[in-house]
Amino acid sequence: MSKQPRIAVIGAGLGGAAAAALLQKSGFNVDVYEQAPAFSRLGAGIHMGPNAMKVFRKIGIEQPLEAMGSHPDYWFSRAQDGSYLSRIALGAHARKEYGAAYITVHRGDLHALQIDALLPGSVHFGKQLAGLEDTGDEVRLAFTDGSTASADIIVGADGINSYVREHLLGFEAPTYNGWVGHRALIPGEALKAFDFDFESCVKWWSEDRHLMVYYTTGSREEYYFVSGVPQAEWEGGNASFIDSSQAEMYDAFKGYHPSVQALIASAQSITKWPLLNRKPLPLWSRGRMVLLGDACHPMKPHMAQGAAMAIEDGAMLARCLGETGLGDYATAFSLYEANRRERASRVQAVSNANTWLRTQEDPAWVFGYDLYGHELKTESAA
Ligand code: FAD
């Protein structure tokens, strides 16, 4: 009796969950292995542009996501004195011109929706991958809890410190790029003490730093900020984040508009994250293993598109495997790279440069992209 071919997705982050959902929808037999024992609602927001929302439409979670998210009419960019640098139309304009809504939402709420979209029993928590062997016929996996599994192909969706990437290319720590991000959630109620118009989506800029601010719920009960601030050394060692403070934020945003000072005053708990990076990888797949998202092309978060690229990757990989079937995974992997490398690299470069929407520009190449709206290319232009 022949066994049913299987796909193992390593990492149930935003990219891995998108890939797994779409592969399952196409009828593939998919198991997801996630190192975390469970997911919690960590304090962070996230933008989801129309390009990602079109993928969520395919997964079947666009409507609930729209219902939970905030729908900004504009992305405003403002100088530290409050003057406007750009007004990028979103809202109804995004739906009409880019084919889906632009939302901002709590990252944990989005992620929970994505996990719920997976087939019951297909996500295995507490499974940290620590061993991989491609035997030629299959891939064998070993986890730190002593358990093992096997699959026909492996999707490395295990983030910036990817074990799958390390297996393919050798150990190399990601580089700290000299920037930190401060993050805080602010109860909407706290903002009522101030006489400012707290806009739905605004990025405050000065020469070498910025503060991105937006609502994470449609009811405006939660406001969120994430900074980008230069800092020569990361003091947190291997920690993915450490505690910060209002004093540190006041210092970093001295001279900024009073409404920014009001945000800092209202933030009860502030965390600080190192921004990490890697050089572009020489390969996206080898043998039965393929990479996606931050495992493959991490970027500074300044364009708010890193997760969207992971989600697009997952959707494109599912589309390519759907075209070829699992038996011809090698063709699927090369189609996948041909259709992702150029776009992901361009977004990575713009994100790292931190110029996105600072001045009035046309975002159609990012937001208008429809992963399902074009023929597959067989060769990458990059
Ligand atoms: P991850 O989300 O990192 O998921 C990887 C998963 O793999 C995790 O669940 C992890 O636990 C698991 N894992 C890791 N190792 C193993 C292992 N050995 N075995 C099993 N499981 C493993 N992007 C946006 O699109 N919009 C934004 O607004 C935005 N804001 C950001 C703000 C900040 C401050 C930062 C740092 C990033 C931001 N990003 C944003 C970028 C975004 O968070 C990442 O690009 C995105 O999370 C990448 O998704 P991923 O699925 O590739 O990896």
Side-chain angles (χ1 to χ4, degrees):
M1 199 174 70
S2 68
K3 69 182 174 69
Q4 199 188 354
R6 274 177 309 148
I7 300 175
V9 176
I10 311 302
L14 304 182
L22 289 162
L23 287 164
Q24 288 178 344
K25 273 194 168 291
S26 300
F28 292 106
N29 183 8
V30 183
D31 282 296
V32 187
Y33 298 98
E34 166 57 48
Q35 67 180 5
F39 288 129
S40 57
R41 195 176 183 268
L42 273 179
I46 198 157
H47 297 241
M48 279 294 129
N51 49 317
M53 292 299 278
K54 282 173 255 185
V55 174
F56 291 134
R57 183 176 299 160
K58 200 85 170 175
I59 295 175
I61 57 172
E62 183 189 26
Q63 294 304 326
L65 196 49
E66 279 205 23
M68 66 172 54
S70 167
H71 293 246
D73 285 329
Y74 290 91
W75 163 309
F76 294 113
S77 281
R78 299 178 72 173
Q80 67 182 89
D81 64 2
S83 56
Y84 285 86
L85 304 169
S86 74
R87 293 179 171 84
I88 307 295
L90 301 173
H93 178 83
R95 283 182 197 278
K96 181 164 172 284
E97 296 300 322
Y98 312 134
Y102 189 107
I103 66 157
T104 57
V105 67
H106 193 289
R107 190 187 171 106
D109 295 342
L110 160 67
H111 196 197
L113 209 53
Q114 285 194 258
I115 298 297
D116 284 351
L118 297 172
L119 290 178
S122 62
V123 187
H124 310 283
F125 287 100
K127 296 287 173 193
Q128 182 178 28
L129 185 71
L132 268 179
E133 187 194 357
D134 185 342
T135 65
D137 295 328
E138 63 174 10
V139 186
R140 293 186 184 149
L141 302 96
F143 302 99
T144 50
D145 65 357
S147 61
T148 58
S150 62
D152 292 79
I153 65 166
I154 300 292
V155 180
D158 46 349
I160 187 147
N161 292 306
S162 169
Y163 178 84
V164 182
R165 189 214 67 84
E166 186 180 324
H167 177 83
L168 292 174
L169 292 163
F171 176 76
E172 194 184 343
T175 41
Y176 169 61
N177 61 34
W179 286 58
V180 294
H182 303 87
R183 284 168 148 171
L185 285 169
I186 300 167
E189 204 49 40
L191 300 176
K192 291 185 178 154
F194 303 95
D195 193 18
F196 295 115
D197 173 18
F198 292 102
E199 290 154 325
S200 293
C201 178
V202 55
K203 187 165 175 177
W204 296 86
W205 305 72
S206 53
E207 204 47 54
D208 68 345
R209 64 200 58 212
H210 64 257
L211 193 70
M212 179 88 233
V213 193
Y214 52 89
Y215 286 99
T216 59
T217 61
S219 54
R220 298 191 150 210
E221 69 213 12
E222 203 173 66
Y223 210 35
Y224 168 72
F225 68 66
V226 53
S227 77
V229 174
Q231 183 180 297
E233 303 287 337
W234 167 245
E235 70 271 49
N238 290 330
S240 51
F241 67 92
I242 58 174
D243 287 337
S244 179
S245 64
Q246 288 176 322
E248 190 173 356
M249 287 290 291
Y250 283 130
D251 193 41
F253 290 94
K254 218 180 295 159
Y256 267 62
H257 191 270
S259 69
V260 170
Q261 309 304 323
L263 292 180
I264 299 170
S266 310
Q268 292 306 310
S269 164
I270 305 173
T271 54
K272 184 163 77 166
W273 302 63
L275 303 188
L276 305 173
N277 226 333
R278 285 187 189 282
K279 293 196 211 85
L281 301 188
L283 55 80
W284 283 38
S285 68
R286 192 168 68 215
R288 294 174 175 271
M289 302 182 203
V290 63
L291 298 169
L292 67 72
D294 276 10
C296 191
H297 45 65
M299 57 190 80
K300 285 189 193 168
H302 305 331
M303 197 174 163
Q305 281 285 330
M309 288 305 105
I311 289 159
E312 286 185 11
D313 281 354
M316 182 57 80
L317 182 61
R319 183 176 168 195
C320 295
L321 281 163
E323 294 265 329
T324 64
L326 194 50
D328 193 8
Y329 62 84
T331 302
F333 290 177
S334 105
L335 269 177
Y336 160 65
E337 183 174 344
N339 286 277
R340 290 302 302 158
R341 185 184 273 276
E342 188 185 353
R343 178 169 167 83
S345 304
R346 186 173 173 198
V347 169
Q348 191 181 27
V350 176
S351 203
N352 289 343
N354 193 23
T355 52
W356 181 240
L357 307 185
R358 180 174 190 151
T359 54
Q360 202 66 31
E361 65 174 300
D362 182 0
W365 69 272
V366 178
F367 300 159
Y369 177 76
D370 182 355
L371 194 128
Y372 303 102
H374 58 86
E375 296 288 309
L376 292 178
K377 291 190 289 184
T378 50
E379 275 179 31
S380 175

PDB file of all heavy atoms in Angstrom, residues 14-15 46-48 52 107 110 294 299 304-313:
ATOM      1  N   LEU A  14       3.203  33.699  10.444  1.00  0.00           N
ATOM      2  CA  LEU A  14       2.220  34.210   9.482  1.00  0.00           C
ATOM      3  C   LEU A  14       2.427  33.601   8.100  1.00  0.00           C
ATOM      4  O   LEU A  14       1.458  33.314   7.390  1.00  0.00           O
ATOM      5  CB  LEU A  14       2.302  35.749   9.421  1.00  0.00           C
ATOM      6  CG  LEU A  14       2.110  36.465  10.771  1.00  0.00           C
ATOM      7  CD1 LEU A  14       2.148  37.975  10.597  1.00  0.00           C
ATOM      8  CD2 LEU A  14       0.805  36.062  11.437  1.00  0.00           C
ATOM      9  N   GLY A  15       3.683  33.375   7.716  1.00  0.00           N
ATOM     10  CA  GLY A  15       3.962  32.797   6.401  1.00  0.00           C
ATOM     11  C   GLY A  15       3.658  31.305   6.361  1.00  0.00           C
ATOM     12  O   GLY A  15       3.029  30.808   5.424  1.00  0.00           O
ATOM     13  N   ILE A  46      -0.010  45.127  13.256  1.00  0.00           N
ATOM     14  CA  ILE A  46       0.545  44.813  11.946  1.00  0.00           C
ATOM     15  C   ILE A  46      -0.354  45.417  10.861  1.00  0.00           C
ATOM     16  O   ILE A  46      -1.564  45.532  11.059  1.00  0.00           O
ATOM     17  CB  ILE A  46       0.696  43.273  11.780  1.00  0.00           C
ATOM     18  CG1 ILE A  46       1.653  42.934  10.647  1.00  0.00           C
ATOM     19  CG2 ILE A  46      -0.646  42.575  11.604  1.00  0.00           C
ATOM     20  CD1 ILE A  46       2.271  41.554  10.763  1.00  0.00           C
ATOM     21  N   HIS A  47       0.287  45.857   9.782  1.00  0.00           N
ATOM     22  CA  HIS A  47      -0.478  46.317   8.617  1.00  0.00           C
ATOM     23  C   HIS A  47      -0.713  45.125   7.704  1.00  0.00           C
ATOM     24  O   HIS A  47       0.185  44.290   7.528  1.00  0.00           O
ATOM     25  CB  HIS A  47       0.348  47.280   7.753  1.00  0.00           C
ATOM     26  CG  HIS A  47       0.761  48.544   8.408  1.00  0.00           C
ATOM     27  ND1 HIS A  47       0.362  49.780   7.933  1.00  0.00           N
ATOM     28  CD2 HIS A  47       1.574  48.793   9.458  1.00  0.00           C
ATOM     29  CE1 HIS A  47       0.907  50.728   8.663  1.00  0.00           C
ATOM     30  NE2 HIS A  47       1.652  50.157   9.601  1.00  0.00           N
ATOM     31  N   MET A  48      -1.870  45.050   7.084  1.00  0.00           N
ATOM     32  CA  MET A  48      -2.088  44.079   6.017  1.00  0.00           C
ATOM     33  C   MET A  48      -2.624  44.836   4.806  1.00  0.00           C
ATOM     34  O   MET A  48      -3.757  45.344   4.808  1.00  0.00           O
ATOM     35  CB  MET A  48      -3.082  42.990   6.457  1.00  0.00           C
ATOM     36  CG  MET A  48      -2.420  41.933   7.300  1.00  0.00           C
ATOM     37  SD  MET A  48      -1.186  40.976   6.354  1.00  0.00           S
ATOM     38  CE  MET A  48       0.260  41.067   7.404  1.00  0.00           C
ATOM     39  N   ALA A  52      -1.839  41.376   0.501  1.00  0.00           N
ATOM     40  CA  ALA A  52      -1.990  40.234   1.415  1.00  0.00           C
ATOM     41  C   ALA A  52      -3.468  39.880   1.595  1.00  0.00           C
ATOM     42  O   ALA A  52      -3.817  38.698   1.723  1.00  0.00           O
ATOM     43  CB  ALA A  52      -1.359  40.557   2.767  1.00  0.00           C
ATOM     44  N   ARG A 107      -1.611  41.869  15.742  1.00  0.00           N
ATOM     45  CA  ARG A 107      -0.929  40.733  15.127  1.00  0.00           C
ATOM     46  C   ARG A 107      -1.441  39.387  15.670  1.00  0.00           C
ATOM     47  O   ARG A 107      -1.616  38.424  14.925  1.00  0.00           O
ATOM     48  CB  ARG A 107       0.564  40.897  15.426  1.00  0.00           C
ATOM     49  CG  ARG A 107       1.453  39.970  14.690  1.00  0.00           C
ATOM     50  CD  ARG A 107       2.877  40.124  15.223  1.00  0.00           C
ATOM     51  NE  ARG A 107       3.656  39.068  14.636  1.00  0.00           N
ATOM     52  CZ  ARG A 107       4.542  39.217  13.663  1.00  0.00           C
ATOM     53  NH1 ARG A 107       4.801  40.411  13.204  1.00  0.00           N
ATOM     54  NH2 ARG A 107       5.175  38.207  13.150  1.00  0.00           N
ATOM     55  N   LEU A 110      -4.860  38.474  14.135  1.00  0.00           N
ATOM     56  CA  LEU A 110      -4.685  37.970  12.764  1.00  0.00           C
ATOM     57  C   LEU A 110      -4.164  36.527  12.801  1.00  0.00           C
ATOM     58  O   LEU A 110      -4.677  35.642  12.111  1.00  0.00           O
ATOM     59  CB  LEU A 110      -3.691  38.878  12.012  1.00  0.00           C
ATOM     60  CG  LEU A 110      -3.042  38.271  10.774  1.00  0.00           C
ATOM     61  CD1 LEU A 110      -4.059  38.047   9.666  1.00  0.00           C
ATOM     62  CD2 LEU A 110      -1.917  39.168  10.252  1.00  0.00           C
ATOM     63  N   ASP A 294      10.735  35.192   6.394  1.00  0.00           N
ATOM     64  CA  ASP A 294      11.950  35.675   7.060  1.00  0.00           C
ATOM     65  C   ASP A 294      13.076  34.643   7.044  1.00  0.00           C
ATOM     66  O   ASP A 294      14.245  34.996   7.178  1.00  0.00           O
ATOM     67  CB  ASP A 294      11.647  36.057   8.517  1.00  0.00           C
ATOM     68  CG  ASP A 294      11.087  37.466   8.647  1.00  0.00           C
ATOM     69  OD1 ASP A 294      10.755  38.075   7.609  1.00  0.00           O
ATOM     70  OD2 ASP A 294      10.981  37.966   9.784  1.00  0.00           O
ATOM     71  N   MET A 299      13.842  41.390   6.436  1.00  0.00           N
ATOM     72  CA  MET A 299      14.063  42.803   6.084  1.00  0.00           C
ATOM     73  C   MET A 299      13.772  43.676   7.293  1.00  0.00           C
ATOM     74  O   MET A 299      13.096  43.235   8.227  1.00  0.00           O
ATOM     75  CB  MET A 299      13.157  43.191   4.913  1.00  0.00           C
ATOM     76  CG  MET A 299      11.684  42.964   5.155  1.00  0.00           C
ATOM     77  SD  MET A 299      10.661  43.145   3.654  1.00  0.00           S
ATOM     78  CE  MET A 299      10.874  41.576   2.831  1.00  0.00           C
ATOM     79  N   ALA A 304       6.422  47.842   6.485  1.00  0.00           N
ATOM     80  CA  ALA A 304       5.247  47.092   6.963  1.00  0.00           C
ATOM     81  C   ALA A 304       4.813  46.044   5.943  1.00  0.00           C
ATOM     82  O   ALA A 304       3.621  45.843   5.700  1.00  0.00           O
ATOM     83  CB  ALA A 304       4.091  48.038   7.300  1.00  0.00           C
ATOM     84  N   GLN A 305       5.778  45.382   5.326  1.00  0.00           N
ATOM     85  CA  GLN A 305       5.469  44.391   4.292  1.00  0.00           C
ATOM     86  C   GLN A 305       6.196  43.061   4.504  1.00  0.00           C
ATOM     87  O   GLN A 305       6.092  42.172   3.658  1.00  0.00           O
ATOM     88  CB  GLN A 305       5.823  44.952   2.906  1.00  0.00           C
ATOM     89  CG  GLN A 305       4.789  45.910   2.339  1.00  0.00           C
ATOM     90  CD  GLN A 305       3.528  45.192   1.836  1.00  0.00           C
ATOM     91  OE1 GLN A 305       3.580  44.059   1.400  1.00  0.00           O
ATOM     92  NE2 GLN A 305       2.391  45.857   1.927  1.00  0.00           N
ATOM     93  N   GLY A 306       6.956  42.905   5.598  1.00  0.00           N
ATOM     94  CA  GLY A 306       7.718  41.667   5.795  1.00  0.00           C
ATOM     95  C   GLY A 306       6.813  40.452   5.898  1.00  0.00           C
ATOM     96  O   GLY A 306       7.035  39.422   5.251  1.00  0.00           O
ATOM     97  N   ALA A 307       5.765  40.576   6.704  1.00  0.00           N
ATOM     98  CA  ALA A 307       4.840  39.451   6.848  1.00  0.00           C
ATOM     99  C   ALA A 307       4.054  39.249   5.560  1.00  0.00           C
ATOM    100  O   ALA A 307       3.770  38.110   5.168  1.00  0.00           O
ATOM    101  CB  ALA A 307       3.895  39.702   8.018  1.00  0.00           C
ATOM    102  N   ALA A 308       3.714  40.356   4.918  1.00  0.00           N
ATOM    103  CA  ALA A 308       2.976  40.241   3.650  1.00  0.00           C
ATOM    104  C   ALA A 308       3.807  39.470   2.625  1.00  0.00           C
ATOM    105  O   ALA A 308       3.268  38.654   1.863  1.00  0.00           O
ATOM    106  CB  ALA A 308       2.628  41.628   3.126  1.00  0.00           C
ATOM    107  N   MET A 309       5.131  39.685   2.631  1.00  0.00           N
ATOM    108  CA  MET A 309       5.977  38.927   1.700  1.00  0.00           C
ATOM    109  C   MET A 309       6.009  37.444   2.076  1.00  0.00           C
ATOM    110  O   MET A 309       6.008  36.578   1.212  1.00  0.00           O
ATOM    111  CB  MET A 309       7.400  39.499   1.680  1.00  0.00           C
ATOM    112  CG  MET A 309       7.511  40.848   0.991  1.00  0.00           C
ATOM    113  SD  MET A 309       6.877  40.897  -0.708  1.00  0.00           S
ATOM    114  CE  MET A 309       5.340  41.785  -0.474  1.00  0.00           C
ATOM    115  N   ALA A 310       6.010  37.147   3.383  1.00  0.00           N
ATOM    116  CA  ALA A 310       5.978  35.745   3.821  1.00  0.00           C
ATOM    117  C   ALA A 310       4.656  35.096   3.391  1.00  0.00           C
ATOM    118  O   ALA A 310       4.622  33.946   2.942  1.00  0.00           O
ATOM    119  CB  ALA A 310       6.142  35.673   5.341  1.00  0.00           C
ATOM    120  N   ILE A 311       3.582  35.849   3.518  1.00  0.00           N
ATOM    121  CA  ILE A 311       2.243  35.343   3.151  1.00  0.00           C
ATOM    122  C   ILE A 311       2.162  35.145   1.632  1.00  0.00           C
ATOM    123  O   ILE A 311       1.669  34.128   1.149  1.00  0.00           O
ATOM    124  CB  ILE A 311       1.171  36.323   3.686  1.00  0.00           C
ATOM    125  CG1 ILE A 311       1.116  36.218   5.217  1.00  0.00           C
ATOM    126  CG2 ILE A 311      -0.191  36.072   3.058  1.00  0.00           C
ATOM    127  CD1 ILE A 311       0.502  37.414   5.910  1.00  0.00           C
ATOM    128  N   GLU A 312       2.662  36.139   0.888  1.00  0.00           N
ATOM    129  CA  GLU A 312       2.691  35.978  -0.579  1.00  0.00           C
ATOM    130  C   GLU A 312       3.547  34.770  -0.970  1.00  0.00           C
ATOM    131  O   GLU A 312       3.185  34.005  -1.868  1.00  0.00           O
ATOM    132  CB  GLU A 312       3.246  37.237  -1.253  1.00  0.00           C
ATOM    133  CG  GLU A 312       2.299  38.429  -1.273  1.00  0.00           C
ATOM    134  CD  GLU A 312       2.886  39.600  -2.072  1.00  0.00           C
ATOM    135  OE1 GLU A 312       3.909  39.421  -2.769  1.00  0.00           O
ATOM    136  OE2 GLU A 312       2.331  40.708  -1.985  1.00  0.00           O
ATOM    137  N   ASP A 313       4.695  34.610  -0.320  1.00  0.00           N
ATOM    138  CA  ASP A 313       5.551  33.440  -0.601  1.00  0.00           C
ATOM    139  C   ASP A 313       4.760  32.146  -0.425  1.00  0.00           C
ATOM    140  O   ASP A 313       4.785  31.254  -1.275  1.00  0.00           O
ATOM    141  CB  ASP A 313       6.731  33.363   0.391  1.00  0.00           C
ATOM    142  CG  ASP A 313       7.870  34.308   0.074  1.00  0.00           C
ATOM    143  OD1 ASP A 313       7.839  34.978  -0.974  1.00  0.00           O
ATOM    144  OD2 ASP A 313       8.808  34.372   0.903  1.00  0.00           O
TER     145      ASP A 313
END
